[in-house]
Amino acid sequence: MSDITNTEEDGRDERHKARMVRKKEVVDAKIASAQAERGVIVITTGNGKGKSSSGFGMVVRAMGHGMRTGVVQFIKGAIPSGEEMFLQRFPDQCAFHVMGEGYTWETQDRARDVAKAEAAWEVARQMLRDPSIGLVLFDELNIALKLHYLDVDTVIADLRARPAMQHVVITGRGAPPALVEAADTVTDMTPVKHAFQQGIKAQRGVEM
């Protein structure tokens, strides 16, 4: 019985090795064929949690590589987030701008929200014109576009006019189709379950 078990284990190990050899060949070929190097547009959208968290993670990653970064935070802003409080400690590496007074259901003033969004986009446009900034995050920009606070065609034109090696990360629900088409990488976050649905409030370090 022991000999049979050992034989089965040997066979399983050999099959695994053969699969990994084939997989490595496929992965290596894909890596070899992807040699272009330029700035990319990354969008994280959808109803699931983690869109902004992903974007801020990319900002920190870029800073870890010594890159200068910029953040413009649309829609949010009434309560300083943990990300804002942390990144404000590194003004030489991260230019951080918050649009205004908070979520649209709190402000309840569309004209004021539009004015704030337009002013925030002017800050974003300056970042997009600065070749010394390697990565910019436009947090919740998709919401501002979905609510028509900003013109999507103008935003896309500004994105396309940026420095060749500058990366742009955009977050928020409801990414407009035209922006999705213009992007290089798009992820749709799908919710499975959320603590808030169980009556657990937003907490520091998790949601803020």
Side-chain angles (χ1 to χ4, degrees), residues 110-135:
R110 187 177 188 281
R112 187 176 181 85
D113 289 342
V114 169
K116 289 287 185 180
E118 290 175 344
W121 187 250
E122 283 302 317
V123 176
R125 184 178 282 129
Q126 294 304 313
M127 292 181 181
L128 290 170
R129 293 172 178 169
D130 187 346
S132 73
I133 297 179
L135 182 143

Side-chain angles (χ1 to χ4, degrees), residues 22-195:
R22 291 194 298 271
K23 184 172 183 178
K24 178 173 168 43
E25 291 174 350
V26 172
V27 172
D28 287 348
K30 289 181 178 179
I31 292 173
S33 65
Q35 293 299 312
E37 194 169 351
R38 62 170 176 80
V40 295
I41 298 174
V42 178
I43 294 178
T44 306
T45 190
N47 294 327
K49 172 180 165 51
K51 298 179 290 294
S52 294
S53 300
S54 172
F56 281 110
M58 293 186 69
V59 170
V60 173
R61 177 187 295 163
M63 290 169 64
H65 285 288
M67 297 166 64
R68 285 191 66 228
T69 62
V71 176
V72 178
Q73 198 165 32
F74 295 82
I75 307 303
K76 300 173 183 175
I79 302 173
S81 65
E83 294 94 341
E84 178 187 354
M85 290 186 287
F86 176 76
L87 291 172
Q88 293 281 20
R89 302 175 190 174
F90 307 95
D92 293 336
Q93 287 183 272
C94 182
F96 202 113
H97 177 81
V98 178
M99 173 179 129
E101 295 107 354
Y103 294 100
T104 53
W105 59 85
E106 295 288 355
T107 61
Q108 301 176 11
D109 187 337
R110 187 177 188 281
R112 187 176 181 85
D113 289 342
V114 169
K116 289 287 185 180
E118 290 175 344
W121 187 250
E122 283 302 317
V123 176
R125 184 178 282 129
Q126 294 304 313
M127 292 181 181
L128 290 170
R129 293 172 178 169
D130 187 346
S132 73
I133 297 179
L135 182 143
V136 292
L137 166 63
F138 299 144
D139 185 41
E140 303 291 359
L141 173 60
N142 290 333
I143 300 292
L145 292 170
K146 180 181 178 181
L147 295 173
H148 303 290
Y149 292 173
L150 297 169
D151 177 65
V152 66
D153 292 331
T154 299
V155 167
I156 291 172
D158 289 336
L159 292 173
R160 287 176 171 161
R162 74 190 191 280
M165 290 306 298
Q166 189 182 75
H167 306 299
V168 180
V169 182
I170 299 170
T171 70
R173 301 183 183 201
L179 188 61
V180 170
E181 180 65 26
D184 299 285
T185 299
V186 181
T187 298
D188 192 310
M189 306 287 272
T190 302
V192 177
K193 60 190 300 188
H194 197 293

Side-chain angles (χ1 to χ4, degrees), residues 14-27:
E14 286 301 318
R15 289 192 298 274
H16 174 79
K17 182 176 180 179
R19 285 196 303 272
M20 293 304 103
V21 167
R22 291 194 298 271
K23 184 172 183 178
K24 178 173 168 43
E25 291 174 350
V26 172
V27 172

